[in-house]
């Protein structure tokens, strides 16, 4: 008889007979009583048909066998030899093979019976790196109080501070290797190691099972996730400050190769250097500011430095300098406050239409111009404040605003899932954000608004070229307007006589320790500017 049996569903049997063994549907009939499926072959099968499958990962092997319909012994040896000929060298299941042979000899169809299994690797842990600083590639625009994206503040350059934890390296734990049915060894976890290369300003702390990496300086994290090289760069170099970069708030120094666009800010705890032109932008430095070209603005440019400022030229700018200020070409229509010395004494350099407040000495080539009636100079007085402390507080507040902005951005991205309570909380966050921004602006204004005065009785104003009539000059409460052109002249204050004195540069002497007959002119002054 040409009858076979199986306990498989008849639909599955039909598919397997056609697909696995290549039989047409007309070659067999199926009958099922609910438990057993009978297969009637319409022609005799003289030889057992064996098909095998090896999983892609080489961890299992299965067989499908269509028994011969005539008497033909099927042995464990023959099946084992067949499997080995297919490249199966490990994990043969002798009990399963014995059962399969019994089924075939009983004329039972064998479908997807497992005949070999590999051994998976056991235990172990590969090395793992966990990052604790924000990835720069994930930078997004801040969300303002109205819920709109502020593309001038995209937080592209994220600073870290000295002592910040940057990443940890979990050391590998070696596990037991495995083997697949092809006899190939499978590497266990723990063989994959990671070698982290440290650059500048990184401290490493080995805690046995893991290594922790810290920043030793304020700066910008340079990290390569492929080579695992990490460093903290305390000098941030960018081409421009524009919508491409957003405003910059950096713990370190900043070098800008080209221009700073209108409406953007650059804050740095260190120095700021700009090779191009600064428009109506704000630069605040905990160190010095150097602008190789100049400031070309319309009244909204502000430069503030705890140390020195050097610039090529100034047009409609506001300058607040706790150190020395050097202008190499000209100043037009600006407001300057300088706690140190002011230098604008290169031949041909000009200060015109500008208000100057200088605590130290001022060395100027040309002061005013034939048509200038707006230039005012105040010598020996400084509106004192702790600029370093103010800037540090501003940076801390800025960091708080940054964290809040990230939270608001995340919540706004889930707006459709927020309930009424969630929306109320989001509104409160927006109000908090607005207040913090207002507090930040007020804090920065403290850099510019005085809280007490200091004075320097030895302050002097030196003109190497010409001081034009119409310029107002003040030393403390003594003020006067220049009524005729002076050249190669020094203006000083005699603290003993409370008088402003003028003399030629060659006759410059200590006015508090000279006889009244010394070559100097006392200037008639008033209590208020004329």
């Amino acid at each position: 008889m040409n009858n076979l049996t199986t306990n498989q569903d008849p639909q599955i049997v039909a598919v397997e007979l056609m697909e696995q063994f290549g039989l047409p549907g007309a070659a067999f009939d199926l009958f099922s009583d609910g438990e057993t499926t009978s297969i009637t072959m319409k022609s005799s099968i003289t030889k057992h048909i064996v098909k095998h499958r090896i999983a892609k990962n080489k961890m299992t092997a299965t067989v499908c066998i269509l028994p011969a319909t005539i008497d033909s012994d099927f042995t464990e040896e023959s099946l084992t030899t067949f499997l080995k000929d297919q490249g199966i060298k490990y994990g043969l299941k002798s009990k399963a093979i014995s059962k399969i042979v019994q089924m075939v000899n009983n004329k039972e169809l064998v479908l997807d019976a497992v005949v070999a299994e590999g051994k998976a690797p056991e235990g172990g842990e590969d090395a793992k790196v966990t990052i604790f600083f924000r990835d720069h590639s994930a930078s997004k625009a801040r969300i303002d109080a109205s819920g709109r994206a502020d593309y001038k503040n995209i937080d592209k350059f994220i600073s870290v501070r000295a002592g910040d934890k940057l990443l940890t390296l979990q050391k590998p734990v070696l596990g037991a290797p495995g083997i697949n049915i092809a006899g190939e060894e499978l590497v266990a976890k723990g063989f994959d190691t990671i070698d982290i290369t440290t650059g500048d300003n990184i401290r490493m702390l080995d805690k046995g099972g893991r290594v922790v990496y810290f920043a030793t300086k304020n700066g910008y994290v340079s990290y390569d996730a492929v080579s695992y090289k990490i460093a903290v760069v305390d000098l941030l170099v960018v081409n421009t400050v524009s919508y491409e970069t957003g405003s910059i708030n950096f713990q370190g120094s900043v070098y800008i190769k080209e221009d700073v666009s209108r409406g953007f800010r650059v804050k740095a705890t260190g120095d700021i250097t700009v090779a191009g032109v600064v428009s109506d932008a704000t630069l605040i430095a905990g160190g010095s500011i150097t602008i190789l070209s100049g400031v070309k603005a319309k009244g909204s440019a502000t430069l503030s430095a705890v140390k020195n400022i050097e610039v090529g030229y100034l047009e409609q700018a506001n300058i607040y300098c706790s150190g020395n200020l050097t202008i190499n070409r000209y100043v037009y229509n600006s407001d300057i406050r300088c706690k140190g010395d002011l230098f604008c004494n290169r031949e041909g350099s000009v200060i015109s239409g500008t208000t100057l407040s200088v605590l130290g000495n001022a060395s100027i080539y040309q002061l005013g111009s034939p048509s200038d009636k707006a230039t005012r100079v105040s010598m020996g007085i400084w509106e004192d404040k702790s600029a370093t402390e103010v800037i540090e507080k501003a940076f801390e507040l800025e960091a708080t605003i940054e964290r809040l902005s990230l939270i608001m951005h995340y919540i706004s991205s889930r707006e459709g899932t927020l309930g009424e309570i969630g929306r109320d909380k989001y509104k409160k966050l927006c109000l908090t954000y607005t207040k913090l921004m207002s507090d930040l602006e007020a804090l920065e204004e403290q850099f510019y608004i005085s809280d007490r005065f200091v004075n320097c009785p030895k302050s002097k104003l030196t003109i190497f070229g010409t001081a034009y009539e119409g310029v107002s000059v003040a030393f403390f409460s003594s003020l006067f307007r220049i009524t005729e052109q002076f050249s190669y002249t020094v203006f000083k204050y005699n603290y003993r006589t409370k008088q402003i004195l003028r003399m030629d540069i060659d006759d410059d002497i200590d006015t508090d320790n000279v006889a009244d007959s010394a070559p100097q002119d006392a200037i008639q002054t008033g209590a208020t500017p004329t």
Side-chain angles (χ1 to χ4, degrees):
M1 294 181 65
N2 296 332
N3 292 333
L4 304 174
T5 61
T6 181
N7 59 4
Q8 297 284 341
D9 184 270
Q11 292 183 344
I12 296 176
V13 172
V15 171
E16 292 290 346
L17 288 174
M18 289 186 287
E19 292 186 356
Q20 195 63 234
F21 299 104
L23 299 178
F28 56 87
D29 290 324
L30 302 177
F31 174 77
S32 175
D33 61 6
E35 294 182 1
T36 302
T37 298
S38 297
I39 307 167
T40 301
M41 307 304 299
K42 294 185 179 181
S43 59
S44 298
I45 300 174
T46 59
K47 186 177 180 180
H48 304 297
I49 301 175
V50 182
K51 300 290 184 179
H52 76 288
R53 292 174 180 168
I54 296 177
K56 287 184 177 180
N57 63 2
K58 299 182 182 179
M59 291 300 290
T60 59
T62 59
V63 293
C64 295
I65 303 176
L66 182 64
T69 55
I70 61 175
D71 290 339
S72 176
D73 287 340
F74 189 63
T75 65
E76 295 180 23
E77 182 181 359
S78 63
L79 180 55
T80 301
T81 300
F82 169 82
L83 295 173
K84 289 182 177 180
D85 290 343
Q86 310 311 312
I88 299 172
K89 301 178 180 179
Y90 176 85
L92 290 171
K93 302 170 70 69
S94 57
K95 289 184 178 180
I97 290 173
S98 177
K99 183 177 179 181
I100 290 169
V101 169
Q102 184 180 358
M103 291 174 63
V104 171
N105 289 328
N106 290 335
K107 302 293 188 294
E108 293 183 40
L109 179 66
V110 178
L111 296 178
D112 293 325
V114 178
V115 291
E117 286 183 328
K119 179 183 178 183
E122 295 180 357
E125 291 291 338
D126 288 333
K128 179 182 178 182
V129 172
T130 304
I131 295 175
F132 294 93
F133 59 90
R134 211 177 96 189
D135 185 3
H136 309 291
S137 63
S139 298
K140 297 179 179 179
R142 288 187 186 179
I143 304 302
D144 62 19
S146 65
R148 296 178 180 177
D150 178 6
Y151 289 100
K152 287 183 178 178
N153 290 288
I154 59 176
D155 298 323
K156 184 172 182 178
F157 304 103
I158 307 302
S159 297
V160 295
R161 296 172 181 263
D164 282 356
K165 181 166 68 172
L166 303 180
L167 58 82
T168 59
L169 169 63
Q170 189 71 39
K171 294 181 180 180
V173 177
L174 189 61
I179 185 170
N180 62 26
I181 61 175
E184 300 166 340
E185 183 176 273
L186 303 178
V187 178
K189 288 184 177 181
F191 280 95
D192 290 340
T193 60
I194 295 174
D195 294 322
I196 294 181
T197 304
T198 57
D200 294 336
N201 308 316
I202 299 293
R203 178 173 66 89
M204 182 177 67
L205 179 61
D206 194 329
K207 292 190 173 182
R210 62 190 178 97
V211 183
V212 187
Y213 295 81
F214 298 91
T216 60
K217 266 190 176 183
N218 295 347
Y220 168 80
V221 179
S222 172
Y223 178 66
D224 188 331
V226 177
S227 64
Y228 295 105
K229 183 175 181 179
I230 187 168
V232 173
V233 182
D234 56 358
L235 174 63
L236 174 63
V237 180
V238 297
N239 288 327
T240 64
V241 177
S242 60
Y243 284 104
E244 180 183 351
T245 61
S247 292
I248 292 174
N249 181 9
F250 187 64
Q251 297 284 333
S253 295
V254 178
Y255 184 90
I256 302 159
K257 295 180 179 179
E258 298 175 18
D259 302 336
V260 180
S261 299
R262 181 178 182 178
F264 289 86
R265 291 186 171 206
V266 180
K267 296 182 184 179
T269 55
D271 300 332
I272 298 174
T273 303
V274 182
V277 176
V278 176
S279 184
D280 285 279
T282 299
L283 276 60
I284 300 177
S288 298
I289 295 176
T290 302
I291 303 175
L292 302 181
S293 185
V295 178
K296 191 175 183 64
K298 295 182 179 180
S300 298
T302 299
L303 309 183
S304 304
V306 173
K307 294 183 180 179
N308 303 321
I309 295 178
E310 181 175 358
V311 61
Y313 61 86
L314 298 171
E315 294 183 19
Q316 299 189 50
N318 303 292
I319 308 298
Y320 305 88
C321 179
S322 294
N324 297 329
L325 172 61
T326 302
I327 303 112
N328 294 320
R329 293 173 58 192
Y330 64 82
V331 182
Y332 294 147
N333 306 320
S334 297
D335 185 272
I336 293 175
R337 302 182 194 181
C338 175
K339 190 174 183 180
D341 296 332
L342 182 145
F343 302 95
C344 186
N345 54 5
R346 289 189 180 183
E347 185 173 357
S349 59
V350 179
I351 296 179
S352 180
T354 294
T355 299
L356 298 176
S357 177
V358 182
L359 178 63
N361 298 319
S363 300
I364 300 171
Y365 187 81
Q366 178 182 318
L367 181 61
S369 66
S371 60
D372 176 21
K373 306 296 180 184
T375 298
R376 293 170 178 253
V377 181
S378 177
M379 300 296 301
I381 296 178
W382 169 258
E383 300 172 358
D384 188 38
K385 61 204 78 43
S386 177
T388 304
E389 181 181 348
V390 169
I391 287 181
E392 186 63 29
K393 288 181 179 178
F395 270 110
E396 291 176 0
L397 190 54
E398 183 88 7
T400 302
I401 291 171
E402 177 188 324
R403 291 193 294 270
L404 181 59
S405 176
L406 290 173
I407 295 171
M408 292 171 64
H409 187 278
Y410 173 75
I411 294 175
S412 66
S413 68
R414 299 170 58 86
E415 184 176 0
T417 63
L418 296 177
E420 184 175 348
I421 295 176
R423 285 191 291 271
D424 287 343
K425 289 184 177 180
Y426 181 71
K427 289 179 181 178
K428 290 179 180 179
L429 285 176
C430 288
L431 292 174
T432 302
Y433 179 89
T434 302
K435 183 176 185 308
L436 289 176
M437 288 298 294
S438 177
D439 291 346
L440 178 61
E441 291 175 3
L443 191 60
E444 290 174 351
E445 281 297 316
Q446 290 183 29
F447 193 91
Y448 319 135
I449 301 173
S450 65
D451 55 9
R452 69 180 187 272
F453 287 90
V454 296
N455 58 65
C456 178
K458 299 293 185 181
S459 179
K460 66 180 179 180
L461 170 62
T462 304
I463 307 298
F464 289 92
T466 303
Y468 283 88
E469 59 183 288
V471 174
S472 295
V473 179
F475 282 81
F476 310 107
S477 60
S478 298
L479 304 98
F480 77 99
R481 185 186 295 274
I482 297 176
T483 57
E484 58 179 300
Q485 291 184 19
F486 292 113
S487 298
Y488 206 60
T489 297
V490 176
F491 295 96
K492 305 179 72 172
Y493 186 71
N494 189 316
Y495 203 66
R496 180 171 56 83
T497 64
K498 311 299 184 187
Q499 290 179 310
I500 298 175
L501 304 177
R502 185 193 66 81
M503 64 197 71
D504 290 340
I505 291 178
D506 293 337
D507 297 328
D508 184 11
I509 54 176
D510 186 348
T511 57
D512 283 339
N513 296 285
V514 297
D516 293 338
S517 60
Q520 52 191 325
D521 296 329
I523 295 174
Q524 184 67 36
T525 63
T528 57
T530 57

PDB file of all heavy atoms in Angstrom, residues 138-153:
ATOM      1  N   ALA A 138      22.811  66.533  18.753  1.00  0.00           N
ATOM      2  CA  ALA A 138      21.407  66.549  19.146  1.00  0.00           C
ATOM      3  C   ALA A 138      20.917  67.952  19.484  1.00  0.00           C
ATOM      4  O   ALA A 138      19.821  68.124  19.993  1.00  0.00           O
ATOM      5  CB  ALA A 138      21.203  65.632  20.362  1.00  0.00           C
ATOM      6  N   SER A 139      21.722  68.968  19.198  1.00  0.00           N
ATOM      7  CA  SER A 139      21.349  70.339  19.538  1.00  0.00           C
ATOM      8  C   SER A 139      20.106  70.761  18.771  1.00  0.00           C
ATOM      9  O   SER A 139      19.950  70.470  17.590  1.00  0.00           O
ATOM     10  CB  SER A 139      22.499  71.294  19.213  1.00  0.00           C
ATOM     11  OG  SER A 139      23.633  70.965  19.972  1.00  0.00           O
ATOM     12  N   LYS A 140      19.227  71.460  19.467  1.00  0.00           N
ATOM     13  CA  LYS A 140      17.992  71.953  18.868  1.00  0.00           C
ATOM     14  C   LYS A 140      17.763  73.389  19.296  1.00  0.00           C
ATOM     15  O   LYS A 140      18.338  73.868  20.266  1.00  0.00           O
ATOM     16  CB  LYS A 140      16.798  71.081  19.298  1.00  0.00           C
ATOM     17  CG  LYS A 140      16.890  69.632  18.837  1.00  0.00           C
ATOM     18  CD  LYS A 140      15.694  68.845  19.311  1.00  0.00           C
ATOM     19  CE  LYS A 140      15.771  67.399  18.842  1.00  0.00           C
ATOM     20  NZ  LYS A 140      14.617  66.591  19.323  1.00  0.00           N
ATOM     21  N   ALA A 141      16.884  74.056  18.562  1.00  0.00           N
ATOM     22  CA  ALA A 141      16.550  75.435  18.907  1.00  0.00           C
ATOM     23  C   ALA A 141      15.856  75.476  20.259  1.00  0.00           C
ATOM     24  O   ALA A 141      15.075  74.588  20.606  1.00  0.00           O
ATOM     25  CB  ALA A 141      15.653  76.039  17.838  1.00  0.00           C
ATOM     26  N   ARG A 142      16.144  76.510  21.027  1.00  0.00           N
ATOM     27  CA  ARG A 142      15.431  76.701  22.286  1.00  0.00           C
ATOM     28  C   ARG A 142      13.985  77.071  22.005  1.00  0.00           C
ATOM     29  O   ARG A 142      13.652  77.633  20.961  1.00  0.00           O
ATOM     30  CB  ARG A 142      16.074  77.820  23.101  1.00  0.00           C
ATOM     31  CG  ARG A 142      17.409  77.461  23.698  1.00  0.00           C
ATOM     32  CD  ARG A 142      17.867  78.568  24.618  1.00  0.00           C
ATOM     33  NE  ARG A 142      19.211  78.331  25.120  1.00  0.00           N
ATOM     34  CZ  ARG A 142      19.835  79.180  25.923  1.00  0.00           C
ATOM     35  NH1 ARG A 142      19.263  80.305  26.281  1.00  0.00           N
ATOM     36  NH2 ARG A 142      21.052  78.900  26.358  1.00  0.00           N
ATOM     37  N   ILE A 143      13.133  76.779  22.953  1.00  0.00           N
ATOM     38  CA  ILE A 143      11.732  77.168  22.856  1.00  0.00           C
ATOM     39  C   ILE A 143      11.530  78.402  23.730  1.00  0.00           C
ATOM     40  O   ILE A 143      11.841  78.392  24.918  1.00  0.00           O
ATOM     41  CB  ILE A 143      10.807  76.021  23.320  1.00  0.00           C
ATOM     42  CG1 ILE A 143      11.100  74.744  22.514  1.00  0.00           C
ATOM     43  CG2 ILE A 143       9.358  76.444  23.165  1.00  0.00           C
ATOM     44  CD1 ILE A 143      10.936  74.892  21.022  1.00  0.00           C
ATOM     45  N   ASP A 144      11.027  79.474  23.122  1.00  0.00           N
ATOM     46  CA  ASP A 144      10.849  80.699  23.898  1.00  0.00           C
ATOM     47  C   ASP A 144       9.543  80.638  24.685  1.00  0.00           C
ATOM     48  O   ASP A 144       8.821  79.627  24.667  1.00  0.00           O
ATOM     49  CB  ASP A 144      10.903  81.940  22.994  1.00  0.00           C
ATOM     50  CG  ASP A 144       9.798  81.957  21.947  1.00  0.00           C
ATOM     51  OD1 ASP A 144       8.788  81.237  22.125  1.00  0.00           O
ATOM     52  OD2 ASP A 144       9.929  82.698  20.956  1.00  0.00           O
ATOM     53  N   ALA A 145       9.223  81.718  25.379  1.00  0.00           N
ATOM     54  CA  ALA A 145       8.065  81.729  26.271  1.00  0.00           C
ATOM     55  C   ALA A 145       6.755  81.535  25.523  1.00  0.00           C
ATOM     56  O   ALA A 145       5.773  81.056  26.090  1.00  0.00           O
ATOM     57  CB  ALA A 145       8.026  83.042  27.051  1.00  0.00           C
ATOM     58  N   SER A 146       6.729  81.898  24.247  1.00  0.00           N
ATOM     59  CA  SER A 146       5.509  81.741  23.454  1.00  0.00           C
ATOM     60  C   SER A 146       5.394  80.348  22.850  1.00  0.00           C
ATOM     61  O   SER A 146       4.417  80.044  22.163  1.00  0.00           O
ATOM     62  CB  SER A 146       5.481  82.788  22.333  1.00  0.00           C
ATOM     63  OG  SER A 146       6.542  82.566  21.422  1.00  0.00           O
ATOM     64  N   GLY A 147       6.395  79.495  23.099  1.00  0.00           N
ATOM     65  CA  GLY A 147       6.383  78.150  22.550  1.00  0.00           C
ATOM     66  C   GLY A 147       6.990  78.039  21.174  1.00  0.00           C
ATOM     67  O   GLY A 147       6.973  76.972  20.564  1.00  0.00           O
ATOM     68  N   ARG A 148       7.573  79.132  20.673  1.00  0.00           N
ATOM     69  CA  ARG A 148       8.187  79.115  19.350  1.00  0.00           C
ATOM     70  C   ARG A 148       9.675  78.786  19.449  1.00  0.00           C
ATOM     71  O   ARG A 148      10.322  79.066  20.444  1.00  0.00           O
ATOM     72  CB  ARG A 148       7.992  80.473  18.667  1.00  0.00           C
ATOM     73  CG  ARG A 148       6.532  80.816  18.398  1.00  0.00           C
ATOM     74  CD  ARG A 148       6.425  82.203  17.773  1.00  0.00           C
ATOM     75  NE  ARG A 148       5.036  82.554  17.509  1.00  0.00           N
ATOM     76  CZ  ARG A 148       4.651  83.731  17.023  1.00  0.00           C
ATOM     77  NH1 ARG A 148       5.569  84.662  16.769  1.00  0.00           N
ATOM     78  NH2 ARG A 148       3.378  83.974  16.816  1.00  0.00           N
ATOM     79  N   ALA A 149      10.190  78.225  18.364  1.00  0.00           N
ATOM     80  CA  ALA A 149      11.615  77.890  18.321  1.00  0.00           C
ATOM     81  C   ALA A 149      12.443  79.152  18.099  1.00  0.00           C
ATOM     82  O   ALA A 149      12.132  79.964  17.232  1.00  0.00           O
ATOM     83  CB  ALA A 149      11.882  76.886  17.208  1.00  0.00           C
ATOM     84  N   ASP A 150      13.487  79.318  18.927  1.00  0.00           N
ATOM     85  CA  ASP A 150      14.402  80.453  18.802  1.00  0.00           C
ATOM     86  C   ASP A 150      15.680  79.958  18.133  1.00  0.00           C
ATOM     87  O   ASP A 150      16.553  79.379  18.772  1.00  0.00           O
ATOM     88  CB  ASP A 150      14.709  81.030  20.190  1.00  0.00           C
ATOM     89  CG  ASP A 150      15.701  82.187  20.132  1.00  0.00           C
ATOM     90  OD1 ASP A 150      16.049  82.612  19.010  1.00  0.00           O
ATOM     91  OD2 ASP A 150      16.116  82.657  21.204  1.00  0.00           O
ATOM     92  N   TYR A 151      15.796  80.185  16.820  1.00  0.00           N
ATOM     93  CA  TYR A 151      16.910  79.623  16.059  1.00  0.00           C
ATOM     94  C   TYR A 151      18.205  80.409  16.236  1.00  0.00           C
ATOM     95  O   TYR A 151      19.234  80.028  15.675  1.00  0.00           O
ATOM     96  CB  TYR A 151      16.535  79.517  14.590  1.00  0.00           C
ATOM     97  CG  TYR A 151      15.504  78.439  14.352  1.00  0.00           C
ATOM     98  CD1 TYR A 151      14.160  78.758  14.198  1.00  0.00           C
ATOM     99  CD2 TYR A 151      15.874  77.097  14.324  1.00  0.00           C
ATOM    100  CE1 TYR A 151      13.211  77.768  14.010  1.00  0.00           C
ATOM    101  CE2 TYR A 151      14.935  76.101  14.138  1.00  0.00           C
ATOM    102  CZ  TYR A 151      13.603  76.435  13.977  1.00  0.00           C
ATOM    103  OH  TYR A 151      12.673  75.451  13.800  1.00  0.00           O
ATOM    104  N   LYS A 152      18.159  81.504  16.995  1.00  0.00           N
ATOM    105  CA  LYS A 152      19.409  82.175  17.344  1.00  0.00           C
ATOM    106  C   LYS A 152      20.067  81.501  18.547  1.00  0.00           C
ATOM    107  O   LYS A 152      21.225  81.760  18.856  1.00  0.00           O
ATOM    108  CB  LYS A 152      19.156  83.652  17.641  1.00  0.00           C
ATOM    109  CG  LYS A 152      18.858  84.476  16.399  1.00  0.00           C
ATOM    110  CD  LYS A 152      18.692  85.945  16.732  1.00  0.00           C
ATOM    111  CE  LYS A 152      18.436  86.758  15.469  1.00  0.00           C
ATOM    112  NZ  LYS A 152      18.214  88.196  15.767  1.00  0.00           N
ATOM    113  N   ASN A 153      19.314  80.647  19.222  1.00  0.00           N
ATOM    114  CA  ASN A 153      19.834  79.927  20.386  1.00  0.00           C
ATOM    115  C   ASN A 153      19.580  78.439  20.190  1.00  0.00           C
ATOM    116  O   ASN A 153      18.555  77.907  20.619  1.00  0.00           O
ATOM    117  CB  ASN A 153      19.174  80.422  21.670  1.00  0.00           C
ATOM    118  CG  ASN A 153      19.599  81.821  22.030  1.00  0.00           C
ATOM    119  OD1 ASN A 153      20.725  82.056  22.450  1.00  0.00           O
ATOM    120  ND2 ASN A 153      18.703  82.782  21.836  1.00  0.00           N
TER     121      ASN A 153
END
